[in-house]
Amino acid sequence: MASASALSRPTAGTGVGRRVLAGAAGGIAGGIVFGVLMAIMGMLPVIASMVGSTSAVVGFGVHLMISVLIGLGLTVLFGNRFLTAYGRGALVGLGYGAIWWVLGPLMIMPVMMGMPLFAVDLTALMSLMGHMIYGVILGLVAVRVLKSRA
């Protein structure tokens, strides 16, 4: 009979369905926390402008959709390899959030909005903090989902 700790660990063969659930749950959890921080900073209308709106509610919706997609990227592609324990999940999430800070607000969003690339100011540094918080929450929630029994 397998030990209780062995039963709670994700296996090398964690199915794609479980990894999708982990990415969606982690993306939503991290996205909500990061979204609240963005709302406090008044950044949600900027996110909404990516789809032609100025509404903070639209911005929050767009932000959550992006959060889920980014969460799926981590868990579907790398969940079996990197999200095997809480400490590792938090560390991987921290790095993943930092990578998305460079890709998102420093590269993709400026290109979409006709702004300069790699513009680092106080707002961008606050965004880095938000992306790293998002990543840690994503990693921790994903590990929890991957460790849970089917």
Side-chain angles (χ1 to χ4, degrees), residues 13-148:
T14 303
V16 71
R18 179 57 60 100
R19 294 192 317 266
V20 166
L21 179 61
I28 289 169
I32 288 171
V33 173
F34 188 13
V36 168
L37 295 172
M38 292 173 73
I40 292 168
M41 292 176 50
M43 294 302 299
L44 292 175
V46 175
I47 302 303
S49 71
M50 292 171 37
V51 295
S53 175
T54 58
S55 165
V57 173
V58 170
F60 191 75
V62 169
H63 166 73
L64 280 182
M65 288 189 304
I66 293 168
S67 296
V68 168
L69 291 173
I70 290 172
L72 291 171
L74 177 63
T75 60
V76 171
L77 298 175
F78 305 111
N80 284 340
R81 181 168 179 95
F82 295 121
L83 301 174
T84 56
Y86 289 108
R88 189 170 188 175
L91 192 58
V92 166
L94 190 71
Y96 191 67
I99 289 168
W100 273 104
W101 173 69
V102 172
L103 293 174
L106 296 186
M107 294 176 67
I108 297 169
M109 196 168 148
V111 166
M112 288 178 68
M113 299 175 69
M115 298 166 27
L117 296 172
F118 300 105
V120 177
D121 56 11
L122 182 58
T123 301
L125 293 175
M126 295 299 287
S127 175
L128 171 60
M129 179 184 72
H131 279 84
M132 292 171 75
I133 291 168
Y134 162 82
V136 168
I137 294 169
L138 165 62
L140 292 173
V141 170
V143 168
R144 177 65 187 117
V145 170
L146 293 171
K147 283 180 171 271
S148 66

